[in-house]
Amino acid sequence: MNIGTLYLVATPIGNLGDFSPRARQIMCDVDFIAAEDTRVTKKLLNALDLPSKPMISYFEHNRRERGEEIVKKLLGGENCALVTDAGTPAISDPGEDLVALCAENNIPVQSIPGCCAAVCALAVSGLPTGRWCFEGFLSVNKKARKEHLDSLLSEKRTMIFYEAPHKLRQTLHDMRLAFGDDRKIAMCREITKIHEESLRMTLSEAEEYYTENSPRGEYVLVLEGNTETITDVSDEERMEIAISAVQKRIESGETLKDAVKLVSADIGVKKNALYKEALNRLS
């Protein structure tokens, strides 16, 4: 018995002209469509003059139940196009789980390339593109958010985040506290849309800019990696750098214990020695 194929079809994130001829053909040929929001997908099909197809909703809150249903259809020989409301499926998206489920069942999966907001923003950011990492959305939970940013203090690769406009100001504030005033950032919004804009500045400039201007549209934040190199310094100089970093974190509201724990791992000094030195100097 033939097994069907799951096609990950990238949809436009703004400009309908970005929908490829291959994507159009796949959408015409598949037996059914798994869509994040069937209403949005119906509008897209109409706008692109594509034939209607049987649709099944597949999103964050029904992915387990619907994933099994989709796999059953694929194992029965039907071909499926998985689409999100905009962009590439399975990237910061529950489609990731469906792909894993297909892998477990030896179901072929093919990616039909198209727009990906993260890659588009990276390309225009003006920051290094040779090595980068995708960090998705930061948690709304304050503790988890801080832990996420703290885990990236030593990250040398360019970092990419997604952010909603109503959370942008807080995110820029938290990033400035974590990474410092002078870290470079590119803020790309409304990519491929009429009001597309890319702003390149430091974190302190970005926070000031959005204190005076209202964030509009969905954002991709491209953040410079850690460019500091402290490998060729003496133990005394390394300790001075560590004490300075601890002091800065304490001034931003952290406890001495938490600051020492993070800085010791980041800079490479012994935690106990750093704690003792910081206690003598800063308390």
Side-chain angles (χ1 to χ4, degrees):
M1 183 175 65
N2 291 330
I3 295 178
T5 297
L6 176 68
Y7 295 96
L8 309 179
V9 182
T11 54
I13 58 178
N15 193 317
L16 292 179
D18 293 331
F19 199 65
S20 73
R22 184 183 176 206
R24 177 181 288 275
Q25 189 61 55
I26 292 293
M27 294 293 277
C28 289
D29 292 345
V30 294
D31 298 294
F32 71 103
I33 298 170
E36 179 181 359
D37 187 325
T38 56
R39 296 165 298 181
V40 172
T41 299
K42 283 178 182 178
K43 290 179 181 179
L44 177 66
L45 295 178
N46 290 334
L48 294 171
D49 196 26
L50 288 167
S52 61
K53 294 279 181 176
M55 278 195 231
I56 181 171
S57 67
Y58 178 84
F59 55 93
E60 178 66 28
H61 300 296
N62 72 359
R63 57 182 170 174
R64 289 180 178 82
E65 174 190 347
R66 290 296 169 82
E68 296 289 346
E69 186 176 338
I70 293 167
V71 163
K72 185 177 180 180
K73 287 177 174 290
L74 289 164
L75 289 173
E78 294 186 56
N79 294 315
C80 172
L82 174 67
V83 297
T84 67
D85 291 349
T88 300
I91 303 299
S92 194
D93 172 79
E96 175 185 4
D97 289 353
L98 182 57
V99 173
L101 201 56
C102 286
E104 291 174 9
N105 289 274
N106 295 315
I107 296 170
V109 179
Q110 291 187 22
S111 179
I112 310 303
C115 287
C116 176
V119 175
C120 291
L122 176 66
V124 301
S125 68
L127 294 170
T129 62
R131 298 185 65 210
W132 54 277
C133 58
F134 177 66
E135 297 297 326
F137 288 96
L138 290 169
S139 173
V140 294
N141 179 275
K142 187 175 181 180
K143 181 179 178 182
R145 186 185 187 86
K146 185 176 183 301
E147 289 176 350
H148 188 166
L149 292 175
D150 285 342
S151 72
L152 297 170
L153 291 177
S154 299
E155 180 58 68
K156 296 185 180 300
R157 295 171 295 180
T158 302
M159 296 165 275
I160 302 175
F161 301 82
Y162 286 164
E163 194 53 279
H166 66 280
K167 295 192 297 180
L168 181 68
R169 285 171 171 157
Q170 185 62 52
T171 292
L172 292 174
H173 176 72
D174 292 343
M175 284 182 169
R176 183 182 64 78
L177 291 181
F179 301 109
D181 294 348
D182 298 328
R183 185 73 68 93
K184 294 178 183 177
I185 187 170
M187 297 166 291
C188 306
R189 70 180 187 92
E190 298 293 270
I191 296 172
T192 79
K193 301 181 179 70
I194 294 175
H195 300 294
E196 179 174 352
E197 181 181 50
S198 296
L199 301 175
R200 305 170 187 85
M201 53 187 74
T202 65
L203 283 172
S204 61
E205 291 169 340
E207 185 175 10
E208 182 179 354
Y209 178 85
Y210 279 110
T211 298
E212 301 173 357
N213 297 275
S214 298
R216 297 180 183 277
E218 299 299 318
Y219 283 81
V220 181
L221 307 178
V222 186
L223 184 66
E224 180 184 35
N226 189 338
T227 59
E228 296 179 2
T229 55
I230 57 172
T231 55
D232 299 325
V233 298
S234 66
D235 290 343
E236 292 78 10
E237 290 172 319
R238 189 182 296 273
M239 181 60 76
E240 289 300 322
I241 294 171
I243 289 294
S244 177
V246 168
Q247 183 175 13
K248 183 176 180 180
R249 299 187 76 86
I250 290 174
E251 289 172 353
S252 70
E254 291 186 10
T255 65
L256 175 61
K257 182 179 179 181
D258 288 342
V260 166
K261 180 181 177 181
L262 292 165
V263 171
S264 64
D266 186 32
I267 294 180
V269 297
K270 291 182 178 180
K271 184 168 65 174
N272 290 342
L274 178 57
Y275 183 84
K276 182 178 180 180
E277 189 69 18
L279 195 61
N280 288 336
R281 294 205 206 179
L282 305 179
S283 61

